[in-house]
Amino acid sequence: MRVALFATCIVDTMYPEVAAATVGILERLGHQVIFPEGQACCGQMHINSGKFKSAYPIVRNHVRAFESESWDYAVAPSGSCVASLGHQHPMIAEYNEDDELSRRATQIADRTYELCQFLTDVCGVTDAARELGSYFPHSVAYHPSCHGMRLLRLGDRQRSLLETVEGLELRKIEHEDICCGFGGTFSVKNPQVSGAMLGDKAEAIISTGASACSGGDVSCLMHIGGGLSRTHRLVPGEGEVPATVHLARILASTRDNPLDLDSQGVNVTGGTLR
């Protein structure tokens, strides 16, 4: 199949290695990956802040960018941004009295999938080790992001794939379904509340004793990684703060080319990686 990569602005700008891992996984399955170059932000920050008129040209740009190429499906390493396409883009077009754009936006959203959603629902992948060659010999705490869990209703798709990675020991975070406190602009507008929520999440992750925390959204992992790095709490028996790693990089890791937790650029944190 011909698959369009929807990189998302935060991945493209700050964590391109996640996009590269996503491409590697898709190509491993035999898909042809293209990158519509006109793509930019999905406008989620504007929409969540009530800037519906400012979001209109952003939605229009996304539609035009993905209409400029021929593809079967679009895939993004972000439940949050994929949720925005389906739940917000048609609404913004309708708010700005553009029914035609709403129709086109819906057509694109209907063929756009979060990475694990695409792997399971479209490609039928059920065993990451056998079908993708995924290998990651570390203990991992999994954080399900709010948008993926509540808007996309991903269920156990991400968790199930992580469970089948060779060598990976999955550990459960207590009250894992509680928000990490990022929430995009929420963390900027409500820093004290956000920080308190982050503190609880960081403690819960450290309590698992896992070497790494993983999930499907770099925005949440960035927030969590920054919080973990500032707690100065070490994993029992490890002597290190848990790493934060996007699940695409774990699924892309193989025996021949394993992802090293100690290598520079692995952690998704609120600071420069390189």
Side-chain angles (χ1 to χ4, degrees):
M1 287 184 288
R2 189 173 167 88
V3 178
L5 175 66
F6 172 29
T8 80
C9 57
I10 188 170
V11 169
D12 187 43
T13 304
M14 299 180 65
Y15 306 107
E17 61 277 1
V18 173
T22 300
V23 172
I25 292 166
L26 296 173
E27 290 183 338
R28 198 176 297 169
L29 289 171
H31 302 303
Q32 179 188 1
V33 182
I34 63 167
F35 183 81
E37 294 188 3
Q39 65 179 281
C41 179
C42 66
Q44 187 176 170
M45 291 184 294
H46 303 71
I47 300 167
N48 290 346
S49 298
K51 306 294 184 181
F52 288 4
K53 288 195 176 295
S54 297
Y56 175 61
I58 299 175
V59 171
R60 188 174 56 204
N61 178 76
H62 185 86
V63 170
R64 288 176 175 174
F66 280 82
E67 284 181 340
S68 70
E69 299 274 3
S70 174
W71 44 272
D72 300 299
Y73 295 94
V75 173
S78 167
S80 176
C81 296
V82 172
S84 178
L85 301 193
H87 290 266
Q88 296 180 328
H89 278 202
M91 175 192 71
I92 291 300
E94 291 169 7
Y95 177 86
N96 288 276
E97 301 180 346
D98 192 338
D99 292 339
E100 175 63 16
L101 181 64
S102 177
R103 182 189 64 79
R104 291 157 60 196
T106 298
Q107 289 179 338
I108 288 175
D110 286 347
R111 291 191 292 149
T112 304
Y113 287 71
E114 181 271 339
L115 174 61
C116 290
Q117 184 184 35
F118 178 76
L119 293 176
T120 57
D121 294 10
V122 179
C123 301
V125 174
T126 58
D127 190 320
R130 178 170 55 84
E131 296 167 84
L132 300 177
S134 307
Y135 171 75
F136 192 71
H138 302 281
S139 55
V140 175
Y142 164 67
H143 168 69
S145 298
C146 294
H147 283 94
M149 180 170 49
R150 296 182 172 89
L151 287 179
L152 281 187
R153 301 192 182 279
L154 292 177
D156 288 330
R157 289 173 177 85
Q158 295 177 341
R159 185 198 314 277
S160 296
L161 287 179
L162 287 174
E163 285 177 335
T164 60
V165 172
E166 182 184 358
L168 189 149
E169 177 191 347
L170 197 62
R171 298 188 182 179
K172 185 175 177 60
I173 300 173
E174 186 177 9
H175 305 303
E176 66 173 21
D177 59 339
I178 292 178
C179 178
C180 69
F182 179 64
T185 56
F186 174 83
S187 60
V188 177
K189 297 175 181 177
N190 304 277
Q192 292 181 323
V193 177
S194 173
M197 295 170 71
L198 173 59
D200 290 343
K201 180 65 69 172
E203 288 296 324
I205 292 168
I206 292 170
S207 296
T208 68
S211 300
C213 174
S214 186
D217 283 88
V218 293
S219 52
C220 298
L221 292 173
M222 176 182 68
H223 188 60
I224 292 170
L228 288 170
S229 69
R230 291 188 291 274
T231 63
H232 304 297
R233 292 280 308 284
L234 306 181
V235 174
E238 294 282 346
E240 298 287 344
V241 172
T244 41
V245 188
H246 191 281
L247 57 81
R249 303 200 71 192
I250 292 177
L251 294 177
S253 176
T254 64
R255 277 188 171 273
D256 293 335
N257 188 25
L259 178 64
D260 183 2
L261 279 182
D262 296 325
S263 63
Q264 186 179 14
V266 168
N267 273 307
V268 179
T269 61
T272 181
L273 292 182
R274 295 170 292 279

